[in-house]
Amino acid sequence: GSALETTPFNHERQQTIACFPNSSFDLDGECEDIEKFFWIPECSNNPLFDSFVVQFSDNDGVVLPVIWIIQITIALEHGGSERSYLLIESIRERVEEIARIRFGRTKKVRDVEVNYVLVSPKDSRWKLPKHKWSSVSGEVFYMRLQVRDHLSL
């Protein structure tokens, strides 16, 4: 597929581990194809997100890099940690660097956008930490599903 796409979930992505030594997103040489992966943080207890994908879209010669932060849970109460914002800031910095290297010579590159996608039970609540939100704020897409009838608790 093309490096520039119009929707973030329009193709199958290879699953890979996202490493954050010293709270900095380390690509380990995979920066050429960052948008081809479904990134899962190596820390299993990351409280704010389960995974993320990167999208580069082109609108009349202007590249828009977007990070989609994804959280899927069956918990009725879900919050996050401000520490996760540091990880998201690190991802954003790396995506910005890659976009400028790959597209900056021939196209204008806009600032990186961060979008959030949460999927949870219908009666649940999701609370984003307020402290440091402004550094990684973005659109939030919240899908509530009726799952209680299907869970054996």
Side-chain angles (χ1 to χ4, degrees):
S2 170
L4 298 171
E5 56 190 357
T6 56
T7 60
F9 307 109
N10 66 344
H11 61 86
E12 186 174 331
R13 294 174 189 263
Q14 181 179 343
Q15 181 176 318
T16 193
I17 302 298
C19 300
F20 296 93
N22 302 317
S23 296
S24 180
F25 181 37
D26 180 19
L27 286 169
D28 196 28
E30 296 181 36
C31 66
E32 288 299 315
D33 297 323
I34 189 171
E35 74 280 0
K36 292 183 181 177
F37 292 96
F38 184 80
W39 296 92
I40 299 171
E42 67 180 334
C43 48
S44 60
N45 63 346
N46 182 23
L48 187 60
F49 63 98
D50 296 322
S51 59
F52 65 93
V53 297
V54 175
Q55 169 192 10
F56 297 113
S57 61
D58 185 350
N59 185 7
D60 293 326
V62 178
V63 174
L64 174 60
V66 180
I67 302 164
W68 291 86
I69 302 295
I70 303 166
Q71 175 71 46
I72 300 172
T73 184
I74 60 169
L76 293 178
E77 290 280 328
H78 191 77
S81 166
E82 296 160 4
R83 290 185 324 238
S84 295
Y85 289 156
L86 296 174
L87 302 181
I88 295 169
E89 286 177 7
S90 173
I91 296 166
R92 188 185 62 217
E93 289 169 2
R94 189 56 56 100
V95 168
E96 182 177 333
E97 174 187 358
I98 291 167
R100 299 216 184 281
I101 290 170
R102 287 175 58 187
F103 306 110
R105 288 190 207 129
T106 59
K107 299 176 183 288
K108 181 178 185 204
V109 178
R110 292 194 33 209
D111 290 339
V112 177
E113 288 185 7
V114 180
N115 291 331
Y116 296 81
V117 176
L118 171 72
V119 179
S120 69
K122 186 176 181 183
D123 298 327
S124 64
R125 290 180 0 140
W126 189 32
K127 184 177 179 181
L128 286 164
K130 291 180 183 175
H131 186 64
K132 297 193 180 223
W133 167 249
S134 62
S135 67
V136 290
S137 64
E139 295 284 331
V140 177
F141 301 89
Y142 193 1
M143 180 185 291
R144 295 181 177 138
L145 302 175
Q146 184 66 42
V147 296
R148 195 172 283 217
D149 298 341
H150 304 288
L151 295 176
S152 57
L153 300 175

